[in-house]
Amino acid sequence: MAPIYLYSYRRCPYAMRARMALIYAGIDVEIREISLRNKPLSMLHLSPKGTVPVLVLEDRIIEESLDIMLWALQQNDPSDWFNAQIKALSLHLIQKNDLEFKPLLDAYKYPERQASSTDYFQKAIEIFLKPLNHLLEKNSYLVDDQIKLVDVAIFPFVRQFAKV
């Protein structure tokens, strides 16, 4: 079997969640850390869009972090991260994170690129995070009393917001 490797960037929240799922699933993977300013031609040849993460398998390339996470859990999910009972809610929350929260986070991180003020984006983010806080008041984690896929998929973005 050919080695599995992952093109990654250490601070990218998408790459973080992919790496965490691969580690959790116990998949032996070589991490190929890249510089976003000097992307290797080998990666661009495999994934012309030029974003991380990129998982290189013997039979295919997976270029989206959630797809990498789901693939890893199909290989091994020892603590039932992708429980069938919470699957729909988990995917809904991840989609909201990726489509709503991430653009707000980027706007907040780079205010010089925006017409609106940092305060506007901070308030919008706080509104987005409020339902997540309510979920955390009910459970130890977002959808259960044990860590699940949704927690690992969202937390790198919340972490990034906290760091900004």
Side-chain angles (χ1 to χ4, degrees):
M1 184 169 126
I4 297 172
Y5 54 96
L6 179 77
Y7 286 101
S8 182
Y9 177 66
R10 117 185 111 78
R11 291 190 337 240
C12 170
Y14 293 107
M16 282 180 190
R17 70 187 193 183
R19 288 192 312 266
M20 286 186 288
L22 291 163
I23 290 167
Y24 159 77
I27 296 170
D28 186 22
V29 61
E30 176 190 329
I31 305 293
R32 295 187 178 177
E33 190 72 23
I34 69 156
S35 165
L36 295 177
R37 294 177 191 207
N38 189 20
K39 297 171 187 162
L41 291 176
S42 58
M43 183 188 95
L44 294 172
H45 174 73
L46 296 168
S47 178
K49 69 180 189 165
T51 61
V52 292
V54 177
L55 182 66
V56 181
L57 304 170
E58 188 172 359
D59 62 340
R60 64 184 164 148
I61 312 279
I62 306 176
E63 301 176 280
E64 296 294 330
S65 62
L66 182 56
D67 293 338
I68 293 169
M69 295 180 86
L70 294 173
W71 176 85
L73 297 181
Q74 288 172 350
Q75 309 313 301
N76 186 30
D77 187 3
S79 297
D80 202 21
W81 273 16
F82 203 42
N83 183 301
Q85 294 175 329
I86 57 171
K87 186 177 184 176
L89 176 58
S90 295
L91 291 173
H92 171 74
L93 291 171
I94 294 167
Q95 183 178 33
K96 283 184 68 69
N97 176 79
D98 293 1
L99 298 178
E100 295 175 29
F101 181 66
K102 178 61 168 139
L104 291 171
L105 176 60
D106 287 344
Y108 181 71
K109 285 181 359 188
Y110 307 109
E112 66 278 2
R113 300 178 187 170
Q114 309 304 319
S116 299
S117 72
T118 303
D119 290 340
Y120 169 82
F121 292 108
Q122 183 173 2
K123 285 181 177 73
I125 288 171
E126 289 171 2
I127 290 167
F128 178 85
L129 292 175
K130 197 171 201 162
L132 297 181
N133 283 331
H134 289 305
L135 289 170
L136 291 170
E137 289 169 0
K138 294 179 190 176
N139 303 301
S140 300
Y141 295 94
L142 289 172
V143 295
D144 197 8
D145 285 324
Q146 295 181 11
I147 194 167
K148 299 293 181 196
L149 171 76
V150 64
D151 301 291
V152 176
I154 291 176
F155 111 82
F157 299 90
V158 176
R159 174 193 169 275
Q160 199 171 65
F161 171 65
K163 286 209 163 264
V164 175

